[in-house]
Amino acid sequence: MADRYYSNEAEALLHDSHTLELDDVHCAGGLRTDLINKKVQEIPCLAFGKKAMSFLKDESFVASLFKRKRGENSDRRQPSRRGAKTNKIWLPHLLQIVTFSMLIAVASSDFKGLATYFAVPKSAPLNVTPKARAIFNGKKLGKTMQPPPPCNFITHRELIRETQNIKGAASILVADWRHFFHQHPLSEKVSSFFCISAVVDGIVRFWRWATLPMGIPWAPFCAQTCSVAMIVMIYDADGGEWPFVLDRNEVLEQLPSRLQYKTGGFATVYLDNLIAIGTEENISRLEKGKKMLEDELKLTIKEWAVYHA
């Protein structure tokens, strides 16, 4: 039985698979994390960026995240293969996302970590059919993992205070990456750590998560680091002056909650959301980077709105 992260009302919705529409099931060929990684490698001592990129591709790095069990003599750190089967409530939704290649079938011998899976209905007006968010239940698996570095998300209070401190007219950019976690492909060796099982037609079947699964401790850190790295790439690409108070190394080493512009204003990311408020020049430079994100990184963007004072 999956842990109860959902209300009775949510469970009632999920019992009826006809009331659900898939939302976070988009895989547009995968975000070009190799290019983000290349950019990170060009800047020395970027501990945060390198760790995040390693997580997406390096089996040995992922294995090193798991704590050694008491009494275990092996140097190889791996999660337990024990895990509860996915509750039948989630089965219709699970089988649907298989068709989107978010999950890939594997044999029972081809996984290193096993957990459960569930879906969460997204909020919607009463007269609108709710959509569902696919979640890998990594709660128990996460207890065996070393904690990730902090993401340093901006708080609502900080966001309001920073906005109030801006003097004079300012330009604003608001952006939202579509299905951001599922745009990060995982290699077969890495994704074998994050598998789920379910009984289908009386047979236990297994799948590995092909994209960065929500619900594991390191997923927010990886997504946040990639978003910050993309801001760095945009301002590097146009050859203009570095606009932030912190230098490049400090930005990706510290992963600050907001990046202060030298000319006033700030930029901040919260996983798949970007807010930037500053001079028309700084916001226009970000605006020009949209094409690079779409063409070179293959990022699928849900929202991109710019307001010039």
Side-chain angles (χ1 to χ4, degrees):
M1 178 67 180
D3 291 306
R4 293 190 63 86
Y5 293 127
Y6 49 92
S7 65
N8 291 332
E9 291 78 10
E11 182 175 342
L13 281 173
L14 289 163
H15 267 298
D16 182 4
S17 61
H18 297 293
T19 67
L20 291 174
E21 293 181 5
L22 292 177
D23 186 34
D24 284 331
V25 294
H26 181 75
C27 236
L31 182 67
R32 289 294 304 276
T33 50
D34 58 328
L35 291 183
I36 297 178
N37 185 51
K38 183 176 184 298
K39 187 64 181 178
V40 167
Q41 298 283 3
E42 292 172 355
I43 308 174
C45 303
L46 298 185
F48 277 103
K50 288 181 180 178
K51 283 185 179 180
M53 296 307 110
S54 296
F55 182 86
L56 295 175
K57 68 176 184 178
D58 187 353
E59 178 191 14
S60 62
F61 177 78
V62 175
S64 73
L65 298 178
F66 291 91
K67 298 176 181 178
R68 184 179 304 174
K69 292 186 176 66
R70 184 176 299 175
E72 185 180 12
N73 295 321
S74 172
D75 289 332
R76 187 173 181 80
R77 300 176 183 179
Q78 292 185 355
S80 171
R81 289 167 57 91
R82 299 177 61 187
K85 294 183 177 64
T86 297
N87 189 287
K88 62 182 180 181
I89 291 175
W90 323 114
L91 187 59
H93 189 273
L94 185 154
L95 294 178
Q96 280 184 294
I97 68 174
V98 168
T99 64
F100 286 84
S101 300
M102 280 174 56
L103 295 172
I104 297 177
V106 294
S108 60
S109 59
D110 291 337
F111 61 83
K112 300 183 178 70
L114 187 64
T116 54
Y117 161 86
F118 63 98
V120 174
K122 301 179 73 173
S123 60
L126 293 177
N127 60 338
V128 176
T129 302
K131 296 182 179 180
R133 187 184 300 278
I135 305 292
F136 173 90
N137 186 358
K139 182 179 180 181
K140 292 182 179 179
L141 194 64
K143 291 180 179 179
T144 69
M145 296 184 73
Q146 297 178 27
C151 290
N152 300 323
F153 295 129
I154 193 169
T155 66
H156 289 92
R157 181 172 295 179
E158 289 173 327
L159 183 60
I160 293 172
R161 184 176 64 247
E162 290 293 335
T163 303
Q164 290 175 335
N165 288 339
I166 295 175
K167 306 299 182 182
S171 297
I172 303 173
L173 185 149
V174 178
D176 186 354
W177 321 138
R178 182 178 292 278
H179 318 300
F180 191 46
F181 283 77
H182 300 311
Q183 290 195 59
H184 292 76
L186 295 179
S187 69
E188 182 174 344
K189 290 183 178 180
V190 169
S191 66
S192 63
F193 284 83
F194 309 109
C195 293
I196 58 179
S197 65
V199 177
V200 181
D201 297 329
I203 301 173
V204 179
R205 297 190 61 187
F206 303 91
W207 293 269
R208 62 177 173 84
W209 212 266
T211 60
L212 185 63
M214 295 184 190
I216 58 173
W218 280 70
F221 173 72
C222 292
Q224 181 74 358
T225 303
C226 285
S227 286
V228 173
M230 286 191 288
I231 294 178
V232 173
M233 293 179 70
I234 288 174
Y235 282 113
D236 273 349
D238 67 4
E241 180 186 357
W242 179 249
F244 299 115
V245 174
L246 295 177
D247 64 29
R248 292 171 178 80
N249 287 1
E250 291 172 323
V251 167
L252 283 168
E253 285 179 353
Q254 299 177 18
L255 211 66
S257 61
R258 65 271 196 196
L259 306 176
Q260 302 283 355
Y261 285 113
K262 296 175 182 177
T263 54
F266 67 98
T268 184
V269 293
Y270 191 102
L271 299 176
D272 54 356
N273 294 278
L274 164 64
I275 299 176
I277 306 176
T279 64
E280 183 174 349
E281 178 186 359
N282 283 333
I283 301 305
S284 294
R285 290 173 66 185
L286 268 182
E287 190 176 4
K288 292 175 182 177
K290 179 175 183 286
K291 182 174 176 58
M292 182 190 73
L293 297 181
E294 293 177 319
D295 294 348
E296 295 186 27
L297 298 185
K298 307 304 179 185
L299 176 71
T300 302
I301 298 175
K302 178 180 180 180
E303 178 186 0
W304 187 280
V306 181
Y307 309 92
H308 289 299

